């Protein structure tokens, strides 16, 4: 092929040299899933050889479609949400979409501002995690504007979502603790107003404890979702009938709790058992490895993206609860007679 000025290279040039139509070249960059693998590979090879990249701005102006999705998460400091972003972004990219991400720091006002910013950037739909779907003004705004959205991690009877069954997962953990002889269990979480996931886990744990005839599950809320306070832990463990096991609402909080307990002179699990929720990669690298509930965060992001793209095609995909997995690590031991 004769050399061309890259600034003048067009879809028509790529189509001619790849032996396909301009429409097929357009689909290769906008809807690659519609093409056969060999056709897609041939077009990409010609484009790569000559450094061709499609003009996304021009394409958006012509088609009225930005092929951009919004993703709103509480934070990217928590690897759970980073994995969710990765799953959503990879799925979107494979289907010709880009993803713009924003974080909210668990603050409703920041959440509303982040969503509005993404709307201003003309995203075609949103994947988001909110504090409380039942009371979310953000979801009411999206519904009023008719912008498609799918929740990730939240569970709701009235909004489309992809999540695990948080209550059932917490029930499984309580059953494990009960099987190890623990009758007094406390849930450690961040502020419940900012996380319906923590609320559901607390409710599931309490319900299962009642079914198993255990003591009422105590609840110790921390000011942060991922950072424990030593004095609050000391007060909990100095109280009469102190818990023998601490069930933390996420793995980062569990790691912080274990660190603070060691600062108080306690050994995990010899003196007290600790478990978490999320199944992060680092949890298996802790010494001892953390007992936790694994949720498939990468798949949650990917499946939420798939549901959102289905919505953009006019479909109404069902909400999904993906399977969780109980990981029995070394931070839970049998309740000792002294502790009990």
């Amino acid at each position: 092929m004769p050399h061309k000025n890259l600034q003048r290279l067009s879809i028509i040039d790529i189509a001619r040299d790849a032996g396909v139509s301009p429409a097929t070249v357009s689909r290769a960059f906008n809807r690659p899933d519609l093409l056969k693998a060999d056709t897609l590979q041939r077009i990409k090879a010609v484009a790569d050889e000559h450094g061709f990249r499609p003009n996304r701005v021009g394409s958006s102006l012509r088609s009225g479609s930005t092929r951009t999705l919004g993703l709103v998460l509480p934070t990217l400091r928590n690897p759970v949400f980073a994995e969710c972003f990765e799953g959503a972004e990879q799925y979107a990219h494979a289907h010709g979409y880009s993803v713009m991400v924003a974080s909210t720091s668990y603050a409703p006002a920041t959440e509303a501002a982040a969503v509005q910013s993404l709307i201003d950037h003309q995203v075609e739909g949103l994947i988001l995690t909110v504090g409380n779907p039942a009371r979310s003004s953000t979801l009411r705004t999206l519904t009023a504007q008719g912008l498609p959205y799918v929740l990730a991690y939240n569970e709701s009877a009235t909004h489309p979502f992809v999540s695990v069954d948080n209550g059932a997962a917490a029930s499984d953990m309580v059953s494990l603790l009960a099987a190890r002889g623990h009758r007094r269990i406390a849930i450690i979480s961040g502020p419940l107003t900012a996380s319906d996931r923590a609320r559901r886990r607390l409710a599931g744990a309490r319900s299962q404890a009642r079914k198993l005839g255990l003591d009422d599950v105590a609840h110790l809320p921390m000011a942060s979702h991922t950072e424990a306070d030593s004095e609050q832990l000391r007060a909990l463990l100095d109280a009469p009938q102190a818990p023998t096991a601490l069930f933390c609402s996420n793995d980062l909080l569990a790691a912080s709790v274990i660190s603070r307990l060691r600062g108080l002179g306690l050994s995990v699990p010899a003196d007290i058992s600790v478990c978490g929720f999320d199944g992060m990669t680092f949890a298996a690298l802790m010494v001892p490895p953390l007992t936790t509930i694994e949720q498939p965060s990468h798949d949650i992001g990917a499946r939420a993206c798939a549901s959102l793209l289905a919505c953009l095609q006019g479909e109404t995909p069902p909400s999904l609860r993906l399977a969780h997995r109980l990981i029995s690590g070394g931070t839970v031991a049998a309740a000792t007679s002294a502790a009990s």
Side-chain angles (χ1 to χ4, degrees):
M1 188 178 79
H3 175 72
K4 297 181 177 66
N5 185 325
L6 292 185
Q7 292 183 340
R8 299 176 57 187
L9 201 66
S10 70
I11 282 181
I12 295 175
D13 297 316
I14 300 299
R16 182 180 61 247
D17 295 328
V20 298
S21 69
T24 301
V25 176
S26 178
R27 281 192 289 273
F29 289 100
N30 294 308
R31 290 296 305 275
D33 54 303
L34 298 180
L35 298 185
K36 294 181 179 179
D38 58 341
T39 302
L40 180 61
Q41 183 178 4
R42 186 167 71 253
I43 293 170
K44 291 294 182 67
V46 172
D48 290 345
E49 180 182 356
H50 297 282
F52 172 81
R53 298 298 302 165
N55 185 336
R56 294 295 188 188
V57 174
S59 176
S60 296
L61 291 174
R62 289 190 297 272
S63 67
S65 169
T66 63
R67 300 194 70 80
T68 302
L69 308 176
L71 178 62
V72 180
L73 297 168
T75 179
L76 290 179
R77 296 179 186 178
N78 188 329
V80 163
F81 297 119
E83 289 180 20
C84 176
F85 164 67
E86 186 177 75
E89 195 276 335
Q90 289 177 352
Y91 191 94
H93 179 75
H95 291 79
Y97 282 80
S98 299
V99 174
M100 292 184 68
V101 64
S103 60
T104 66
S105 299
Y106 295 93
T110 305
E111 174 187 293
V115 168
Q116 188 57 57
S117 176
L118 292 172
I119 292 174
D120 292 343
H121 280 85
Q122 302 297 305
V123 297
E124 297 187 24
L126 284 163
I127 302 166
L128 64 168
T129 303
V130 300
N132 184 350
R135 300 180 181 178
S136 174
S137 61
T138 296
L139 297 185
R140 290 196 294 269
T141 298
L142 293 177
T143 300
Q145 295 188 6
L147 190 67
Y149 64 88
V150 175
L151 297 174
Y153 297 103
N154 300 115
E155 298 174 74
S156 172
T158 55
H159 303 285
F161 70 84
V162 179
S163 178
V164 296
D165 188 328
N166 286 278
S171 296
D172 288 348
M173 183 61 81
V174 168
S175 295
L176 171 69
L177 295 174
R180 303 288 176 85
H182 294 279
R183 299 191 58 82
R184 299 194 300 275
I185 301 167
I187 296 284
I188 313 289
S189 77
L192 294 184
T193 54
S195 174
D196 69 319
R197 287 83 64 202
R199 287 196 304 276
R200 288 179 178 273
R201 292 165 194 173
L202 174 60
R206 284 177 163 168
S207 175
Q208 186 67 1
R210 286 193 294 269
K211 291 178 182 177
L212 297 176
L214 308 181
D215 293 359
D216 291 340
V217 172
H219 176 225
L220 181 63
M222 297 290 174
S224 167
H225 290 279
T226 58
E227 188 71 22
D229 180 82
S230 295
E231 292 307 312
Q232 287 182 271
L233 288 172
R234 185 194 302 274
L236 174 69
L237 299 178
D238 284 346
Q241 299 299 301
T244 62
L246 304 179
F247 181 7
C248 302
S249 63
N250 64 74
D251 286 351
L252 286 177
L253 185 56
S256 179
V257 164
I258 291 172
S259 176
R260 298 295 180 267
L261 290 173
R262 286 173 178 162
L264 295 174
L266 296 174
S267 175
V268 175
D271 296 319
I272 186 166
S273 291
V274 177
C275 52
F277 197 114
D278 281 334
M280 294 182 187
T281 301
F282 82 84
L285 304 177
M286 294 172 59
V287 180
L290 182 66
T291 296
T292 184
I293 296 286
E294 180 185 63
Q295 55 179 339
S297 291
H298 186 280
D299 289 348
I300 287 175
R303 298 293 290 274
C305 187
S307 293
L308 181 58
L309 294 186
C311 290
L312 294 179
Q313 297 300 314
E315 302 175 20
T316 305
S319 292
L320 299 173
R321 285 187 173 92
L322 304 185
H324 62 272
R325 183 167 71 100
L326 181 62
I327 299 176
S328 182
T331 57
V332 171
T336 65
S337 58
S340 298

